[in-house]
Amino acid sequence: MSTVPAAGNVEIFKARTNKWFAWLAWTVAVVGLVVTVASAGPAALPTTAPLLLIALLGWQFFWMPAVVVHDGGVTLENPFRSVLVPWAALVHVDTRYALTLVTAQKGYAAWAAPAPGIWGGRNARPEDLQGLPDTSYGPGKSVRPGDLKSTDSGQAARLVRTRWRDLVESGALAAGDADTAVTVTPRWAAIGGVVLLLAASYWAVAAR
């Protein structure tokens, strides 16, 4: 279950490449199911648990994850938990390994917004370095590869930093409140589904 409010000024970031991986996983699962049924008949369906697991993981790891920026804060929709970081709890936005929302207690990484590999920084264009929120720049206007506009982490960080800056400049927010709680909601249904299909997949393989 998501902790994102039903109403408000909401911006959602999802990595475009993740959707392709999701469709690839679903295609593999569907083709595998069709081939299995065509060759062995409906009686073979109980042995297709590994294919169902692939389909579920395609949704869990690639289609569903998102960074949701809204009036109440930033929600990280990760594979096995949803993390709501209120604006007042936010201390720093980091992009070293992935978009990471840092609070006074700890940091929370976004599955949907990983930082680029070594080639992500080498292929940067001049326009990727311009027009970023001020907090994106280091000494000498340097920019970390994970902050580039062309990267997943950079696009998500730009959304977060822009909304955060606007709230601070308007006087509506005093950032870094250690007393503001972060809400972490486990995705029990997803966890249970993965565990169940893992067990079923083991049985299907062992039964052969």
Side-chain angles (χ1 to χ4, degrees):
M1 183 179 67
S2 172
T3 56
V4 179
N9 185 13
V10 178
E11 295 175 281
I12 300 175
F13 172 82
K14 290 189 176 187
R16 287 176 294 179
T17 53
N18 278 5
K19 294 182 179 180
W20 290 105
F21 286 120
W23 281 110
L24 176 61
W26 296 337
T27 300
V28 169
V30 169
V31 171
L33 285 169
V34 171
V35 170
T36 299
V37 173
S39 60
L45 283 175
T47 66
T48 61
L51 296 172
L52 298 178
L53 178 62
I54 290 173
L56 175 60
L57 294 180
W59 178 84
Q60 195 73 18
F61 286 98
F62 299 116
W63 189 268
M64 180 275 299
V67 177
V68 186
V69 181
H70 51 88
D71 292 340
V74 183
T75 298
L76 307 180
E77 301 289 10
N78 287 343
F80 296 111
R81 65 178 187 172
S82 179
V83 182
L84 169 58
V85 180
W87 292 114
L90 190 59
V91 173
H92 176 59
V93 177
D94 186 47
T95 59
R96 184 175 182 182
Y97 301 112
L99 172 72
T100 302
L101 306 180
V102 182
T103 69
Q105 284 76 33
K106 62 182 296 185
Y108 300 89
W111 182 274
I118 186 170
W119 294 107
R122 290 183 177 180
N123 295 330
R125 298 168 298 178
E127 53 267 31
D128 294 333
L129 310 175
Q130 300 169 358
L132 298 171
D134 291 342
T135 53
S136 303
Y137 297 102
K141 299 291 284 186
S142 61
V143 176
R144 176 176 282 174
D147 285 326
L148 296 171
K149 289 181 181 178
S150 56
T151 66
D152 292 335
S153 56
Q155 292 175 35
R158 189 182 182 195
L159 289 178
V160 174
R161 287 169 172 152
T162 298
R163 183 77 69 92
W164 190 23
R165 178 198 62 197
D166 293 345
L167 289 170
V168 171
E169 290 181 352
S170 69
L173 175 67
D177 185 355
D179 295 328
T180 301
V182 173
T183 302
V184 179
T185 305
R187 299 182 181 278
W188 294 117
I191 294 171
V194 169
V195 171
L196 180 63
L197 286 176
L198 278 172
S201 298
Y202 174 79
W203 174 85
V205 173
R208 290 180 178 177

